[in-house]
Amino acid sequence: MGLYLTIELFEIVTFKFKNMKALVYHGPGNKAWEEKPKPVLMEPTDAVVKIFKTTICGTDLHIMKGDVPTVTDGRIIGHEGIGIIEEIGTAVSNFKVGDHVLISCITSCGKCEYCKKAMYSHCENGGWILGNTIDGCQAEYVRIPYADNSLYPIPEGSDEEALVMLSDILPTGFECGVLNGKVKPGDTVAIVGVGPIGLATLLTAQFFTPAEIIVIDQDDNRLAVAKTFGATQVINSTKENALDKVMLLTQNKGVDTAIEAVGIAATFELCEAIVTAGGHIANIGVHGKSVTLHLETLWSHNVTITTRLVDTVSTPMLFKTVQSKKLDPNQLITHHFKLDQIVDAYETFENAAQEKALKVILTQEA
Amino acid sequence: MGLYLTIELFEIVTFKFKNMKALVYHGPGNKAWEEKPKPVLMEPTDAVVKIFKTTICGTDLHIMKGDVPTVTDGRIIGHEGIGIIEEIGTAVSNFKVGDHVLISCITSCGKCEYCKKAMYSHCENGGWILGNTIDGCQAEYVRIPYADNSLYPIPEGSDEEALVMLSDILPTGFECGVLNGKVKPGDTVAIVGVGPIGLATLLTAQFFTPAEIIVIDQDDNRLAVAKTFGATQVINSTKENALDKVMLLTQNKGVDTAIEAVGIAATFELCEAIVTAGGHIANIGVHGKSVTLHLETLWSHNVTITTRLVDTVSTPMLFKTVQSKKLDPNQLITHHFKLDQIVDAYETFENAAQEKALKVILTQEA
Amino acid sequence: MGLYLTIELFEIVTFKFKNMKALVYHGPGNKAWEEKPKPVLMEPTDAVVKIFKTTICGTDLHIMKGDVPTVTDGRIIGHEGIGIIEEIGTAVSNFKVGDHVLISCITSCGKCEYCKKAMYSHCENGGWILGNTIDGCQAEYVRIPYADNSLYPIPEGSDEEALVMLSDILPTGFECGVLNGKVKPGDTVAIVGVGPIGLATLLTAQFFTPAEIIVIDQDDNRLAVAKTFGATQVINSTKENALDKVMLLTQNKGVDTAIEAVGIAATFELCEAIVTAGGHIANIGVHGKSVTLHLETLWSHNVTITTRLVDTVSTPMLFKTVQSKKLDPNQLITHHFKLDQIVDAYETFENAAQEKALKVILTQEA
Amino acid sequence: MGLYLTIELFEIVTFKFKNMKALVYHGPGNKAWEEKPKPVLMEPTDAVVKIFKTTICGTDLHIMKGDVPTVTDGRIIGHEGIGIIEEIGTAVSNFKVGDHVLISCITSCGKCEYCKKAMYSHCENGGWILGNTIDGCQAEYVRIPYADNSLYPIPEGSDEEALVMLSDILPTGFECGVLNGKVKPGDTVAIVGVGPIGLATLLTAQFFTPAEIIVIDQDDNRLAVAKTFGATQVINSTKENALDKVMLLTQNKGVDTAIEAVGIAATFELCEAIVTAGGHIANIGVHGKSVTLHLETLWSHNVTITTRLVDTVSTPMLFKTVQSKKLDPNQLITHHFKLDQIVDAYETFENAAQEKALKVILTQEA
């Protein structure tokens, strides 16, 4: 063991002069595309991945505003992407150097109490750590702990760009919104908020063939996109009373499943108001404040309310739907940049409404 | 059809001079044991039941305070009891005159959209109507609509007094608390509030063999009763900080299932604080006000929150557990009165803490 | 009550001279389109429906061969169809004379132990009785017992012909094959046998977005139809070794769900051979003989095998999928006849392979 | 990496002269308690455990007869036991040298497709390998691959002897019989065969509070034991017609769940005959031959049949039920031997009926 550590040290020494470029957080409002040491293997269960393609998440914008206190100055941001394995730890057996892989936004050790319950989001050794408490994917290279359980193999011939959408937003929309919301054939579903996550929910809700999908947002462009993605009704809540309209569309019954994909009190309370007796409210939004739960009416309405940080347990299932062309994640991609243009990409993504931006793809040239 | 109605009219004429005694609500704070017309069949699906035994529910106390606006002056109260079928409609086929029956607190038509989904609480033609929008069971006789779906046969030789507990509190505790709370073998469960409903929850939670059941209340007598009913830990929240104690008992993990059986904001928010990641909050309490839902922490805790008005779908299952002596509902009965002493019984039940009262039984002599 | 019966008798007297035409079974190989008394209300829960459209089921062919001993000489055959309510019993509340209705192949009383468990197929007072133990739908009129629970309202403007497929084959394929087979997004499904029921299974399996649906049959025409209905792979088992081909297509893993839609030992045993570890075998076929269950291999394969007589609990759900155009049952209809041409229709249906017949529609002119 | 292997080699060299005693299979009918090399770490995910207590499984008797072709001459038998960690691989993080551990009969890598689905029985790198394809637990020491996922920590103060029952028979009875059989409160359950596995099923079935548990066996002693373990009815099938008796006891309805715990055609077919419509047949038995599945009657009975090799996913749950004294596994232990008396223990276990033996415990003195 002593000798083994010496090899590790040797590697660190060898590589320490190797640098790379990465997007680094330097406190609220400050970020830079700058030099950082290239990551090295730290545990036998690690892999180092060279990033081919990554993207920016709404959560990254929150980080940049300083809303996520676990992210500290100097952190490389980003928890999505695909790439190629550059180095591999001795205890990793599912992958080898040269394999193309999808990076999950959730790191899973595969052996703690939560991982054994398939609740990887709460992994005692992982969870959402990439681009949060350890360096992330908006970089030329990234170290992935517990590679066997946190990476997915990409078969040759795959549309790798599309697969970037499987790092986070598709499993998030599907698990937190669709699965937790128990969407069933013939159901009426409402999705409140159709940013990228809401749209990912809209796409994957259709795996279960609901009869109606009512989409509510404040942005006409996003609503227009939602229509092309399969929404059967769209409501611009700045122009119509969303509650009244949903009740009109549902003959005053309300919806079987109301999915909250914004993260504020008003939209959650709209879900409370539109859910039918026996229905489901599935929260996806990241909330900064508490909301009012109207138990004075809901106590007898036989409703179920769920919250969830994505576990990414559905990633293999989603892979199969993409491979078999049941799901086309490319629909979610509107803009392309080179990886070293990431600061520009952030600007586009921050002005999503004007830019009509959904997801941006950042590509590192080979 | 015209002639058929004439027969009905004839029966009404015949019986109109027949009276009975019943407990009648006359506005907040006013009730009386007084003469009322004996009920008659109004639909071919009705039965008239002579009450043998009935009881008083916490909801009846709310009614008496004027908290339930659907209950109006002149209404006979009560939605629990057992008795014998005195008259039976022509379309009723599961029962005949002379059968001993259990009355469900929920009336189910068996043919609306909700009944077909086994959500009888929301039956379009029934639901909780007994002692609410139609006359109820605290009377010598009661008319039961949709008798085939709202009554249950009592086999000869049964302990009929025990079965009164199956009209409401045992299915309520079991469905809203235990089933919705997804109690499993080995789990740690907390029950907040151990009035009769909370105790019914405690008894039926043990159907699924949780490892620990922590009970929280403000009444030492009830906590002592809870211990004899199977609670593994009891917390008097006026003497200890309940949150701290639960966290201590659970090594800071919280409980798998937190069951709210009071109906106020403080107890619901305690449930929010003590539920573990991936756990369940099952609301039983009847809430008069909204509560604060701490989504700013719960959004990522993978919790499920449920509400439910009891559907009484579990009544046949509960029957079997009583018949096979897996459940002894007599444990819940502390006081006995004659039916015509019901005003005294109310006084005892209203002073439950002093009287150490759980459920009272009112018996009509044959 | 005596008087009421007298009215019934009066009606019977009044109508007894009214006749209608119907398809009558007269022992193996003998059937006739002949005069029969028009049905009348017998119970207050009955409805008499004038048939607009009906069809022929594979089961009817079995009956005609004498394979179904419960069907006796003189019985009017048929358990599918739509029509208009001509007469209605006094205890029926969901419908009125003049309503357009879908007839379920399963009669449900709504109040027995099995109906309360949503297992209508085993209704103690109903189940599959139409065209079996009571007269059926291949007639100008049919009496439907327990109309409230055995008929479904057809909204104005519906495609009524398409809805005939909801009487039996779509709920059968969906409940016995798809639901019992637990088809999930991304799964690989095999359907063995694509007669009308197998095709109904194929259509409804897609409600859950499996990645691959492999269809196995002996008829090239049906396989060609299956391709247009969404099969991703088709295997003619007379031309290829089906087991080998499935294993090749699944990289020797086998299928997640194998659905048997023929009803013979060979096809069931093929399902046993192609199901993956942890997978599901869902039997739909009506079997006349036992099969060999290879527990010497399957005991450790973690498989689930299900059987089911359709409960038609999914009919309201299927209705919604048709109304919202997620499902087009017209795809299943290949031939049209007038109701009085039903003997010709039988001939076509009996020669399904040559005639390239799937489902035939029989229409009674207004 | 090269150097690391050298260390491994060094260790092997160092330890190669260390021997231990173990029970070794030498072809059908031949076994010996003999010297074998003490196991060493072979992978960084391994642990070497010094056995404190082990037991003999019915499967071991099959092995000794030559019925299990994967077990070859020279193999150390046994897949159950508890012990102390003697050596630990560098990639193991849940345990350290000196920890007391429970050995699972199923080895799980935690990172293959099946482990991620919690179907450890089919782990691509493990499954049932101990005492089968690699050396097992009837020895002074055993090497456990993937220790993090295949061992469970034993808290100080535990009744370690009782916990030996959690290596195999309790999870097997619970998962394959009780969970797969979907035992519910109020149900009627039949267990066919009450050897140790059937008795483990009987104990754990009571976690779900069935109303009746009917036990069928040919051995009066075992039936007497079953009565003390909670069986409500016992049937000696050599003295009574088991089918008739079950039908009598269930008013001709049959049982909700029939659990097969023998592994022969007759007992499986008895389960087919006694299961009620809508019920479950859960196979636990290891079958050497196919059985006849009576689809000619079962096709319409809405039954579910399951098979399963235990996954040991319930081990943590079972642990909690033992720790909280809801389950007392000591009831299953009838005989004690020193580990070096194992040949005698086999003789006792092989003559279980005469010896009134259930499980034997073999203890290695400290």
Side-chain angles (χ1 to χ4, degrees), chain A residues 113 119 121-122 253 277-278 287-288 290-293 295-296 298-300 302-309 311, chain B residues 113 119 121-122 253 268 277-278 287-288 290-293 296 298-300 302-309 311:
Chain A
E113 179 189 341
M119 202 171 135
S121 58
H122 287 67
K253 290 205 144 182
H287 289 257
S290 65
V291 306
T292 301
L293 182 64
L295 281 185
E296 74 278 18
L298 292 176
W299 76 267
S300 63
N302 299 33
V303 297
T304 302
I305 301 168
T306 53
T307 71
R308 188 170 185 176
L309 180 59
D311 293 303
Chain B
E113 179 189 342
M119 202 170 135
S121 58
H122 287 67
K253 288 205 146 183
F268 190 87
H287 290 258
S290 64
V291 306
T292 300
L293 182 64
E296 74 277 19
L298 292 176
W299 77 268
S300 63
N302 299 33
V303 297
T304 302
I305 301 167
T306 53
T307 71
R308 189 170 184 177
L309 179 59
D311 292 303

Side-chain angles (χ1 to χ4, degrees), chain B residues 11-43:
Chain B
E11 288 177 350
I12 289 166
V13 170
T14 307
F15 287 110
K16 81 171 167 193
F17 301 111
K18 297 206 179 162
N19 276 344
M20 66 166 183
K21 284 296 196 72
L23 188 86
V24 182
Y25 170 74
H26 288 303
N30 291 312
K31 60 176 174 288
W33 177 250
E34 65 187 29
E35 290 246 319
K36 289 281 276 185
K38 187 184 159 190
V40 294
L41 299 173
M42 291 171 64
E43 301 285 344

Side-chain angles (χ1 to χ4, degrees), chain D residues 108-157:
Chain D
S108 161
C109 74
K111 54 193 187 182
C112 72
E113 178 188 342
Y114 290 103
C115 285
K116 287 179 183 173
K117 290 195 283 193
M119 201 170 135
Y120 309 152
S121 58
H122 287 66
C123 171
E124 292 169 4
N125 306 302
W128 175 44
I129 56 173
L130 276 184
N132 177 5
T133 57
I134 67 170
D135 285 335
C137 303
Q138 292 170 6
E140 292 176 348
Y141 297 88
V142 63
R143 181 181 69 90
I144 302 295
Y146 304 106
D148 274 331
N149 290 68
S150 308
L151 296 174
Y152 294 89
I154 298 181
E156 218 175 317

Side-chain angles (χ1 to χ4, degrees), chain D residues 198-366:
Chain D
L199 290 170
T201 308
L202 173 57
L203 289 176
T204 55
Q206 294 170 70
F207 287 166
F208 295 112
T209 318
E212 303 293 339
I213 308 179
I214 302 166
V215 157
I216 300 158
D217 202 295
Q218 302 187 337
D219 180 322
D220 276 333
N221 174 54
R222 284 182 167 176
L223 290 171
V225 169
K227 273 229 130 168
T228 70
F229 280 25
T232 58
Q233 299 282 347
V234 298
I235 301 173
N236 185 323
S237 59
T238 65
K239 300 181 179 170
E240 306 181 84
N241 181 306
L243 170 56
D244 292 350
K245 186 70 183 294
V246 171
M247 285 302 164
L248 185 71
L249 290 170
T250 60
Q251 295 84 48
N252 274 315
K253 289 205 145 183
V255 298
D256 299 300
T257 298
I259 299 175
E260 205 281 346
V262 180
I264 62 172
T267 47
F268 190 86
E269 291 179 38
L270 176 61
C271 290
E272 295 183 33
I274 63 176
V275 70
T276 194
H280 303 273
I281 299 174
N283 185 77
I284 308 178
V286 177
H287 290 257
K289 293 183 180 165
S290 65
V291 306
T292 301
L293 182 63
H294 291 283
L295 280 185
E296 73 277 20
T297 52
L298 291 177
W299 76 268
S300 63
H301 284 204
N302 299 31
V303 297
T304 302
I305 301 167
T306 52
T307 71
R308 188 170 183 176
L309 179 59
V310 64
D311 294 302
T312 65
V313 287
S314 65
T315 307
M317 174 193 276
L318 291 166
F319 237 100
K320 291 179 191 169
T321 63
V322 174
Q323 298 295 106
S324 60
K325 306 203 182 306
K326 306 299 179 192
L327 174 66
D328 177 12
N330 282 310
Q331 296 171 272
L332 292 159
I333 301 168
T334 52
H335 291 70
H336 290 79
F337 295 85
K338 291 187 184 172
L339 182 55
D340 59 13
Q341 298 171 318
I342 189 165
V343 174
D344 297 336
Y346 261 89
E347 202 173 318
T348 296
F349 192 60
E350 281 161 358
N351 295 293
Q354 290 146 258
E355 302 285 347
K356 303 196 174 185
L358 299 174
K359 289 291 276 189
V360 304
I361 285 285
L362 297 142
T363 303
Q364 180 173 192
E365 304 298 324

Side-chain angles (χ1 to χ4, degrees), chain A residues 206-224:
Chain A
Q206 293 169 70
F207 287 167
F208 295 111
T209 317
E212 303 293 339
I213 309 179
I214 302 166
V215 157
I216 300 158
D217 202 296
Q218 301 188 336
D219 179 323
D220 276 333
N221 175 54
R222 284 182 168 175
L223 291 170

Side-chain angles (χ1 to χ4, degrees), chain C residues 118-161:
Chain C
M119 202 169 134
Y120 309 152
S121 58
H122 287 68
C123 172
E124 291 169 5
N125 306 301
W128 175 44
I129 56 174
L130 276 183
N132 178 6
T133 58
I134 68 170
D135 285 336
C137 302
Q138 291 170 7
E140 291 174 351
Y141 297 88
V142 63
R143 180 181 71 90
I144 303 294
Y146 305 105
D148 274 333
N149 290 68
S150 308
L151 295 175
Y152 294 89
I154 298 181
E156 219 175 316
S158 298
D159 176 350
E160 300 195 341
E161 191 160 301

